[in-house]
Amino acid sequence: MSNATEIHQALGAFDKTTSRWGRITMIIGLFFSLAAPAYLVFFAGLDIELSGIITAFAALAAVFGVIWIVEPLTYFPILGASSMYQAFMIGNISNKLLPAAMIAQSTIGVKPGTRKGELASVAAICGAATVHLASLFIFVGLLGTWLVSVIPVDIIQTVQFYILPTVMGAVVVQAIVSQKAPRSAVIALVVSVIVVFFAQLYKPFGLFSTAVAVIATAVLAWVFRDRKTLGTPEDVPVDATPEGPVY
Amino acid sequence: MQIPAILPAVADSNSTDILALANSPVLWACAIGVFLVIIVQSVIYMKAARVAAPHIGMSQAELKTSFRAGAISALGPSLAVVLVAVALLTIFGTPAVLVRIGLIGSVSYETAAAAIAAKTAGAELGGPTYTQAVFGLALAAMSLGGAMWMIATLILTPLLKRGDSALRKVNPAIMLVVPGAAMVAAFMVLGIGELPKSWLHVVAFVSSAAIMTILMVVAKRVNKPWIKEWALGIAIILALAITYAATRL
């Protein structure tokens, strides 16, 4: 079986290179992404307290902490080890990288989960990254400032004042559609309305409102889950991943 | 606002001129750094794949086809991301938008993270309370949040690869219900929390949600996946246009 050993060695070398350099490049990417705020906080002469950052981070962790861990767990079986280091640095995984990988695999007729499929998805993600970096660089990096400079001031003010409700309106709908969990959506709506109402009555509560709403919804969604389809772990389809571009 | 912008002599915590700070050369350098790292990574990965391919019966042509298929399929989603990114330029400045929204993160998480961070300082994104100091805080929070995803990836990937990890035995029903519910709730409460601020906030939220709903229904009805890709960008731009029209009433 010298053929089998050859395959084994070649793939071993591929795994070694990608996991080694994948990790190294990701750590450097991590460094650059943290260097920007570190400069603002420590060297730009801004009045930002470290305790303020810790508070903000704690608020964020309460809201997204679960998702930080669950996302890598969700994507690992789909992407494979080597692509994990690509995907979580390039971002926009479900709306761009997963479709790219799937289209590449079906174009050359290989199945996901096979070694050929893994190489196809690595190549596809490289291709997607190339297009993505180029379009970001040209349309946002080079032309973005110019685009903004030709837009009248009062339109820019509208964007600045109302961007959050605008983004959230669309994103909420997208999240509901992609999750396909109407019970959770109803629970989230009821909890959010109650929480926002209390935050209006008692302003200091506003600080914790997001975290309270998220934790309460998560607990209630679990308690009131549809036990017919989610009763036992075995019933859950393995490939039941969200399809929408929210993740 | 030339690239690179002139380094502000002394940043002013209370100034609302976010872009003076947000387009500073240091932030540009960091953004370009992330770009370069991804380029280097892609080159290394492609080389490794090219070496390994013949041994598993995969031709270089098949590898090239995969690369091209990935590139073409990314065109639509990438331009959709560009559209959203341009809409957010005045809030976060070019370098932060490139890294946080264009790359590592996504528009939904990063905007949510920035809003949550600003709230802990008693401020809001955009508007009179959105000072340079608040921008700094928001960027720090977004970056730390994004870092957690990367750190989780760096720690979990080798564990999952070993295959004997206890993580795989986590009840999949919990994995399916809890993160999804948490995500919907986070966006929901941030959105609904905007409503009491003014009737224009209501217009922005409701019109954006309505346009998104229409686009989702249409995408399903005519079975055109590209509509889903573009939906977020289209909804944001149209809803902003409607809100702008409403401010002129």
Side-chain angles (χ1 to χ4, degrees), chain B residues 34-59:
Chain B
V34 174
F35 266 75
L36 291 178
V37 168
I38 294 175
I39 293 170
V40 169
Q41 189 192 49
S42 298
V43 170
I44 294 171
Y45 269 58
M46 261 332 268
K47 267 194 179 151
R50 214 170 284 156
V51 172
H55 300 283
I56 58 165
M58 192 174 184
S59 69

Side-chain angles (χ1 to χ4, degrees), chain A residues 65-95:
Chain A
V66 178
I67 296 166
W68 289 337
I69 312 249
V70 167
E71 266 203 2
L73 290 181
T74 313
Y75 286 129
F76 180 84
I78 311 171
L79 290 167
S82 40
S83 293
M84 288 287 281
Y85 301 114
Q86 294 180 288
F88 281 88
M89 192 150 62
I90 301 169
N92 294 290
I93 300 174
S94 73
N95 56 334

Side-chain angles (χ1 to χ4, degrees), chain B residues 28-90:
Chain B
W28 268 104
C30 293
I32 290 167
V34 174
F35 266 75
L36 291 178
V37 168
I38 294 175
I39 293 170
V40 169
Q41 189 192 49
S42 298
V43 170
I44 294 171
Y45 269 58
M46 261 332 268
K47 267 194 179 151
R50 214 170 284 156
V51 172
H55 300 283
I56 58 165
M58 192 174 184
S59 69
Q60 299 298 336
E62 279 178 314
L63 212 53
K64 221 182 213 169
T65 308
S66 301
F67 182 93
R68 200 171 46 226
I72 293 168
S73 71
L75 270 175
S78 288
L79 291 177
V81 171
V82 163
L83 186 63
V84 178
V86 170
L88 286 163
L89 277 178
T90 58

Side-chain angles (χ1 to χ4, degrees), chain B residues 107-247:
Chain B
V107 61
S108 34
Y109 284 123
E110 303 294 334
T111 315
I116 291 168
K119 212 154 98 178
T120 63
E124 287 167 18
L125 294 189
T129 54
Y130 190 51
T131 61
Q132 291 190 351
V134 175
F135 166 72
L137 182 69
L139 183 62
M142 287 158 111
S143 304
L144 285 171
M148 294 311 290
W149 260 285
M150 287 182 166
I151 291 168
T153 304
L154 285 167
I155 294 172
L156 293 175
T157 305
L159 288 180
L160 289 165
K161 213 173 157 188
R162 281 213 323 253
D164 56 1
S165 165
L167 286 165
R168 289 205 165 183
K169 297 179 193 104
V170 178
N171 186 341
I174 290 187
M175 296 259 300
L176 212 57
V177 174
V178 171
M183 190 178 71
V184 174
F187 299 141
M188 190 85 89
V189 72
L190 281 170
I192 291 176
E194 291 293 299
L195 302 185
K197 286 179 184 161
S198 79
W199 69 275
L200 285 167
H201 284 81
V202 178
V203 169
F205 181 82
V206 171
S207 60
S208 173
I211 294 164
M212 191 66 172
T213 309
I214 294 167
L215 289 171
M216 286 294 189
V217 170
V218 171
K220 194 157 191 187
R221 195 65 59 78
V222 300
N223 195 21
K224 290 272 179 350
W226 67 263
I227 297 178
K228 277 190 183 173
E229 264 165 32
W230 284 87
L232 186 58
I234 295 171
I236 289 172
I237 297 293
L238 283 183
L240 283 172
I242 292 169
T243 312
Y244 175 71
T247 59

Side-chain angles (χ1 to χ4, degrees), chain A residues 6-7 10-11 14 18 21-23 25-28 30 32-37 39-40 44-48 52-53 56-57 59-60 63-64 67-71 73 76 81-82 84-86 88-92 95-96 100 103-104 107-108 116 119-120 122-124 126-128 130-133 135-136 139-141 144-145 148 154-156 158-174 179 184-185 188-189 192 196 200 206-207 209-210 213-214 217 221-222 230 233 236 240 243 246-247, chain B residues 1 3 7 11 13 21 24 26-28 30 33-35 37 39 41-42 44-46 48-49 53 55-58 62-63 65-67 70-71 73-74 77-78 82 87-91 94 98 101-105 108-109 112-113 115-116 119-120 125-127 132-133 135 137 139-141 143-145 147-150 152-154 156-158 160-161 168 171-174 176-177 179-183 185-189 191-194 196 200-201 204-205 208-209 212-213 216 228 232 236 239-240 243-244 248:
Chain A
E6 186 197 320
I7 292 173
L11 290 175
F14 176 76
T18 51
W21 286 101
R23 294 174 72 78
T25 44
M26 186 171 242
I27 289 166
I28 301 173
L30 190 60
F32 278 121
S33 77
L34 289 175
Y39 161 74
L40 288 187
L46 285 178
D47 186 19
I48 303 175
I53 296 175
F57 180 71
L60 215 57
V63 176
F64 291 130
I67 296 166
W68 289 337
I69 312 249
V70 167
E71 266 203 2
L73 290 181
F76 180 84
S82 40
M84 288 287 281
Y85 301 114
Q86 294 180 288
F88 281 88
M89 192 150 62
I90 301 169
N92 294 290
N95 56 334
K96 193 183 64 213
I103 288 170
T107 308
I108 64 163
K116 244 179 149 173
L119 285 196
V122 164
C126 288
T130 309
V131 165
H132 193 59
L133 289 179
S135 51
L136 275 178
F139 295 111
V140 183
T145 335
V148 171
D154 52 343
I155 293 183
I156 287 184
T158 305
V159 175
Q160 288 180 331
F161 274 60
Y162 304 106
I163 194 73
L164 187 60
T166 311
V167 171
M168 287 306 144
V171 166
V172 162
V173 173
Q174 198 176 39
Q179 288 302 315
S184 301
L189 177 64
S192 299
V196 168
Q200 285 295 307
L207 275 185
S209 58
T210 319
V214 168
T217 303
W222 176 247
L230 293 164
V236 179
E243 62 157 47
V246 166
Y247 263 21
Chain B
M1 270 193 285
I3 313 164
L7 187 68
S13 295
L21 189 69
S24 90
V26 178
L27 298 200
W28 268 104
C30 293
V34 174
F35 266 75
V37 168
I39 293 170
Q41 189 192 49
S42 298
I44 294 171
Y45 269 58
M46 261 332 268
H55 300 283
I56 58 165
M58 192 174 184
E62 279 178 314
L63 212 53
T65 308
S66 301
F67 182 93
S73 71
S78 288
V82 163
L88 286 163
L89 277 178
T90 58
I91 308 282
T94 314
L98 283 176
I101 286 151
L103 299 173
I104 302 164
S108 34
Y109 284 123
I116 291 168
K119 212 154 98 178
T120 63
L125 294 189
Q132 291 190 351
F135 166 72
L137 182 69
L139 183 62
S143 304
L144 285 171
M148 294 311 290
W149 260 285
M150 287 182 166
T153 304
L154 285 167
L156 293 175
T157 305
L160 289 165
K161 213 173 157 188
R168 289 205 165 183
N171 186 341
I174 290 187
L176 212 57
V177 174
M183 190 178 71
F187 299 141
M188 190 85 89
V189 72
I192 291 176
E194 291 293 299
L200 285 167
H201 284 81
F205 181 82
S208 173
M212 191 66 172
T213 309
M216 286 294 189
K228 277 190 183 173
L232 186 58
I236 289 172
L240 283 172
T243 312
Y244 175 71
R248 321 220 86 191

